Amino acid sequence: MATAVTPTPFNVDPNVLSDIMWEGIKGDRTKYDQCGGSVAEIAKLLHVDLTLGLPDTPEDHAKRIAYFGGNFFAEKKIPHYYELVWAGLHDTTILMLIVCAFVGLILNLAIPADHGGIPGYVEPLAILVTVSIVINVAATIDYQKEILFAALNKRLAKTMKRQVIRNGKMKEVTDREILVGDLLILNNVLQSNIAA
């Protein structure tokens, strides 16, 4: 029984493109030569016109993102407050304080002692309250940092613009909107921080 071959919208595998990039860094041209050995041949495989660039249609964009993947990482989920509290409870110093407080509490309840009119269990309880305050303050600060960092990343992603050629016209796009096959216009400022 023959297996069905799924037709692909492009004539090159995404892994081969990745290999071309990594081999290029190492100075190896094996995969590059297998794909025709020229930019023009690779452009044909990607259905790119080297003069007009990519077609600027939502269908083409969706097809490229579905086949090659987008130029972005999945957004990092902001941890919940209770997850940060739980992480704070795993600190070695905090764990030692909690264990010592519970041992002190058990000993003071089992063997009552009077420390100048103050019951012996007050000190272990004070340690537990202090640990609770420290963990909650740290979790609150970390949670606020995560929210601010996520907002900063979103704002930064919208401001980082690149110039590409699509349908024969120069167009500004964000790093997230760059597609496999885009013709990037480079200048000295942009060369140092291209994210594609």
Side-chain angles (χ1 to χ4, degrees):
M1 179 174 180
T3 58
V5 177
T6 306
T8 60
F10 300 96
N11 301 327
V12 64
D13 185 78
N15 294 322
V16 172
L17 288 179
S18 179
D19 292 345
I20 289 171
M21 295 297 293
W22 286 110
E23 288 177 355
I25 291 170
K26 297 177 200 171
D28 185 5
R29 292 178 48 105
T30 307
K31 296 279 185 184
Y32 182 74
D33 290 338
Q34 288 173 357
C35 289
S38 72
V39 172
E41 289 300 317
I42 293 175
K44 282 182 194 174
L45 296 173
L46 294 172
H47 306 290
V48 177
D49 183 309
L50 290 177
T51 306
L52 299 175
L54 293 178
D56 199 10
T57 63
E59 296 81 24
D60 184 67
H61 296 182
K63 185 168 58 170
R64 289 177 186 280
I65 290 172
Y67 188 71
F68 294 110
N71 191 35
F72 49 84
F73 294 107
E75 286 189 28
K76 181 183 168 194
K77 182 182 80 88
I78 296 175
H80 292 286
Y81 179 78
Y82 66 85
E83 292 174 316
L84 296 171
V85 169
W86 184 251
L89 285 171
H90 289 85
D91 181 68
T92 308
T93 306
I94 296 293
L95 287 174
M96 287 178 16
L97 284 170
I98 291 171
V99 168
C100 289
F102 274 112
V103 168
L105 186 62
I106 291 168
L107 287 175
N108 279 308
L109 290 175
I111 309 167
D114 187 28
H115 301 285
I118 300 173
Y121 61 83
V122 170
E123 187 175 315
L125 285 179
I127 291 172
L128 289 174
V129 168
T130 304
V131 164
S132 174
I133 291 170
V134 167
I135 288 173
N136 280 291
V137 167
T140 301
I141 290 170
D142 289 345
Y143 187 69
Q144 290 172 341
K145 278 194 303 189
E146 291 286 341
I147 289 172
L148 289 173
F149 188 68
L152 178 65
N153 275 342
K154 284 183 181 179
R155 192 172 39 203
L156 185 62
K158 291 177 185 174
T159 61
M160 297 295 286
K161 300 281 187 173
R162 310 286 180 221
Q163 295 176 336
V164 297
I165 298 175
R166 292 190 182 161
N167 278 348
K169 298 176 185 164
M170 191 167 44
K171 180 177 182 177
E172 274 196 351
V173 297
T174 62
D175 289 340
R176 186 178 185 90
E177 298 169 321
I178 295 174
L179 302 170
V180 171
D182 260 330
L183 302 179
L184 284 168
I185 299 171
L186 299 177
N187 61 36
N188 289 337
V189 175
L190 294 177
Q191 282 181 329
S192 62
N193 63 0
I194 293 296

